[in-house]
Amino acid sequence: MAAEESAIRDFTNRVNDAAKLISEYALKDGFIHVVSHLDCDGLAAAGIIGKALWKLNARFRIRIQQWVDEEIVSDIVSDKPALTVLTDLGSGYLDILGKHLTDHKIVILDHHQPVGEATPDIFEVNPHLYEIDGSKDISGAGVAYFVAKALDDANKCLSCLAIVGALGDMQDKYEKRSLGGLNGKIVQDAIEAGCLKVEKDLMFFGRETRPIHKALARTTSPFLPGISGEEDKSWAFLKGLEIPVKIGDRWRALRDLSEEEKRRLCSALSDQLVSKGYAGNVLSLIGTVYVLVSEEPWTCLRDAREFSVLLNSTGRLEKAGLGVSICMGDRGEALELAGEVLAEYRRSITKYLSWLMEEPDRIEELESIYVIHGGDFINEKIIGTLSSILSTTLSRSNMKPVIAYATVGEEDVVKVSARTSGVLTSKGLDLGEVMREAAEEFDGNGGGHNIAAGAQVPSKDITSFIKLVDGMVKNWMEKIAVGS
Ligand code: C5P
Ligand code: C5P
Ligand code: ZN
């Protein structure tokens, strides 16, 4: 415990120093260039820093990127900022940054495993440097939040965005799908700031916005046999329980059900799970729900998990600016547009999943991994989402990591997205390390978290890259088998 406390103290000192540095540049009226990651966590981090800089009257610009490469670095250089702040990325690219951004002050607020050494011009804030687990205890938005709070205590109201970021990165790994570690402290801040209510409730996706029978049918985690994926059966199930799906001409969402109706629904679902042999799923029916009480009811911003999917969709469908502006407080038309982007994102996911199922060789099972061959059909910005979805379904029985890839636009590069389960990471598998090592063999770039990682490699090398990764995972599995 003492070690943990001292790690948090050291991390907090580092956060305070980063805040001091940023405010010095802002006060000197230096131009600040913010670069953030394209996913939900990155957009939330950009929104937090953007809002904090705006309150400081700083001059700044925000750019959203999927990764850092030489071209992006030269863009930064040509902008001649006084300070560059990278959020939710940077630690994986210390070498490129150090090599090309000489005489250039950089602050990194990240939670990815650091690769390489930071040069003296790079001020890196990263939980891993203090042995705090950046894959589940704090996200990129969380690191940005602590810095924003150190800049001004009134920025506590940005804590909700950090919660959205952490949920987007699937950090709800504590009991009953709750956030813990430093994320737990952010949850406390949000409750104190009056913008968050934490509840234990049925874990249906779309509790604020979707008609209850649709929410039930769309829920796959936990899997509800005879209901998941079957809207008409879900409707009949609710009818059998005398829970009306509509009142007047208004659909009812889960939030509209009375406590008594929820209890009835929960106990009927438990019976259904037990009778179909899924007793193990009963406990996952109820989980931790994060309600952003400052947001309007019945909007997709009210449930922090729905908010995170909305943000993800804007980033992945080239509308990152819209996501950031929602994080910075834009509503009205921006929210309407984002709703359309979300619908399009869902359609793309469905289209890609059916395409993958059409031909047997598009999802391949190798000795130690599954490979998803997205080729040039799947959008490389959505390959990560598909990899996450498929890893929960494919590896349910044999727990092989999933390695998905897709070609990057017209370039001769493929984007690789790797995912594994908590069971394998708890035994020591680190996909971030695997991606980094394997990509280096082909002059690519790889890294990330133990559970979710990625890489960019030359297209011509993808077959050899996959073979190498399969071999590396196999070696690791054999070592584990010997050790156990
Ligand atoms: O770059 P960043 O850390 O923000 O992204 C982590 C990515 O890994 C997210 O896209 C998140 O959804 C994914 N992830 C996952 N499964 C986990 C943890 C994270 O798919 N268990
Ligand atoms: O892009 P994807 O969602 O698959 O990335 C999974 C995780 O790996 C993210 O946290 C991402 O930032 C990280 N990553 C990385 N270095 C790369 C590619 C991905 O750190 N070259
Ligand atoms: Zn992140």
Side-chain angles (χ1 to χ4, degrees):
M1 200 59 199
E4 203 176 300
E5 272 166 25
S6 95
I8 292 179
R9 207 174 37 241
D10 292 346
F11 173 75
T12 307
N13 287 338
R14 189 81 179 157
V15 160
N16 291 340
D17 288 345
K20 248 184 245 150
L21 195 70
I22 292 174
S23 76
E24 270 166 30
Y25 278 88
L27 289 175
K28 279 191 295 198
D29 199 31
F31 177 61
I32 302 179
H33 189 121
V34 179
V35 182
S36 196
H37 192 213
L38 167 117
D39 70 0
C40 162
D41 185 30
L43 297 182
I48 290 170
I49 283 299
K51 202 74 200 253
L53 290 175
W54 180 77
K55 284 193 186 167
L56 286 175
N57 277 326
R59 283 191 304 124
F60 67 99
R61 135 183 302 167
I62 299 175
R63 285 257 169 94
I64 302 296
Q65 303 289 356
Q66 198 172 7
W67 54 70
V68 176
D69 58 21
E70 282 165 18
E71 203 181 313
I72 289 163
V73 173
S74 73
D75 266 1
I76 299 177
V77 174
S78 65
D79 240 15
K80 299 199 178 58
L83 175 71
T84 300
V85 179
L86 295 133
T87 51
D88 193 37
L89 45 64
S91 292
Y93 304 93
L94 294 171
D95 291 346
I96 299 184
L97 293 169
K99 193 161 134 208
H100 299 278
L101 284 176
T102 44
D103 292 331
H104 196 107
K105 199 75 198 165
I106 302 174
V107 172
I108 293 179
L109 310 178
D110 197 2
H111 70 132
H112 292 95
Q113 285 285 358
V115 181
E117 286 290 315
T119 60
D121 277 336
I122 301 179
F123 191 93
E124 187 185 18
V125 185
N126 188 315
H128 289 288
L129 301 174
Y130 305 95
E131 302 200 354
I132 297 169
D133 186 345
S135 71
K136 71 173 175 34
D137 286 351
I138 184 165
S139 71
V143 179
Y145 166 70
F146 281 120
V147 172
K149 189 169 84 160
L151 282 167
D152 180 352
D153 208 51
N155 285 334
K156 257 188 171 176
C157 60
L158 300 173
S159 48
C160 283
L161 283 175
I163 290 164
V164 170
L167 291 171
D169 266 9
M170 301 188 183
Q171 297 199 327
D172 51 351
K173 295 288 186 270
Y174 284 79
E175 205 190 337
K176 291 261 165 254
R177 293 191 59 189
S178 65
L179 294 167
L182 285 170
N183 281 326
K185 293 194 185 298
I186 302 177
V187 167
Q188 281 313 318
D189 280 0
I191 294 171
E192 277 168 36
C195 58
L196 179 76
K197 205 165 71 189
V198 182
E199 293 175 358
K200 294 276 184 293
D201 202 350
L202 286 158
M203 290 302 281
F204 301 149
F205 193 78
R207 68 194 301 275
E208 288 288 333
T209 53
R210 284 220 181 116
I212 174 79
H213 65 289
K214 286 189 192 254
L216 205 58
R218 288 284 183 97
T219 299
T220 50
S221 168
F223 183 71
L224 307 169
I227 295 177
S228 287
E230 306 197 51
E231 228 172 81
D232 47 346
K233 293 207 177 131
S234 155
W235 178 300
F237 187 77
L238 290 162
K239 197 154 189 266
L241 293 173
E242 293 177 10
I243 296 177
V245 289
K246 239 180 178 182
I247 293 212
D249 56 2
R250 197 193 158 100
W251 294 106
R252 299 176 83 205
L254 183 64
R255 71 179 317 275
D256 302 314
L257 266 53
S258 68
E259 287 306 313
E260 192 280 322
E261 282 176 313
K262 281 187 194 166
R263 263 197 301 277
R264 215 168 344 130
L265 178 55
C266 185
S267 103
L269 286 169
S270 309
D271 291 348
Q272 171 102 346
L273 284 169
V274 172
S275 72
K276 304 259 179 187
Y278 284 78
N281 283 4
V282 169
L283 283 178
S284 1
L285 279 173
I286 304 278
T288 311
V289 178
Y290 295 91
V291 185
L292 308 188
V293 292
S294 321
E295 301 294 342
E296 289 292 325
W298 292 287
T299 67
C300 51
L301 303 185
R302 179 107 171 163
D303 172 5
R305 283 193 182 82
E306 283 193 73
F307 193 156
S308 76
V309 175
L310 182 87
L311 280 189
N312 235 324
S313 70
T314 61
R316 310 247 175 219
L317 290 185
E318 327 247 331
K319 297 281 189 299
L322 187 60
V324 176
S325 79
I326 288 177
C327 289
M328 290 183 69
D330 217 356
R331 296 290 179 268
E333 200 188 344
L335 195 52
E336 247 169 66
L337 283 173
E340 287 165 25
V341 176
L342 177 62
E344 157 99 38
Y345 176 66
R346 291 218 172 94
R347 280 195 298 274
S348 309
I349 291 173
T350 312
K351 177 179 85 180
Y352 292 140
L353 287 174
S354 351
W355 181 82
L356 286 169
M357 306 298 169
E358 258 165 37
E359 299 287 339
D361 57 354
R362 289 177 185 158
I363 299 181
E364 189 184 3
E365 183 173 2
L366 299 183
E367 207 166 339
S368 310
I369 57 173
Y370 281 102
V371 185
I372 315 296
H373 299 277
D376 52 13
F377 184 77
I378 293 182
N379 177 343
E380 94 274 0
K381 295 206 169 71
I382 301 188
I383 196 76
T385 309
L386 294 167
S387 191
S388 298
I389 295 174
L390 290 166
S391 78
T392 56
T393 46
L394 283 176
S395 57
R396 195 174 279 164
S397 51
N398 57 14
M399 296 203 297
K400 291 181 182 177
V402 167
I403 314 291
Y405 74 90
T407 313
V408 180
E410 305 285 294
E411 295 177 41
D412 295 327
V413 172
V414 291
K415 161 83 188 96
V416 180
S417 239
R419 302 285 185 269
T420 185
S421 63
V423 178
L424 295 189
T425 55
S426 67
K427 290 183 181 163
L429 180 63
D430 184 348
L431 280 185
E433 192 68 2
V434 171
M435 287 293 112
R436 187 180 61 76
E437 269 184 37
E440 270 172 12
E441 287 292 313
F442 302 98
D443 288 330
N445 187 296
H449 310 291
N450 53 8
I451 201 157
Q456 296 86 251
V457 288
S459 304
K460 64 176 174 37
D461 298 319
I462 185 63
T463 311
S464 320
F465 174 85
I466 287 170
K467 208 168 148 207
L468 177 62
V469 171
D470 189 35
M472 287 168 81
V473 176
K474 184 175 166 221
N475 284 345
W476 176 82
M477 284 179 173
E478 283 170 358
K479 246 192 267 157
I480 289 298
V482 170
S484 63

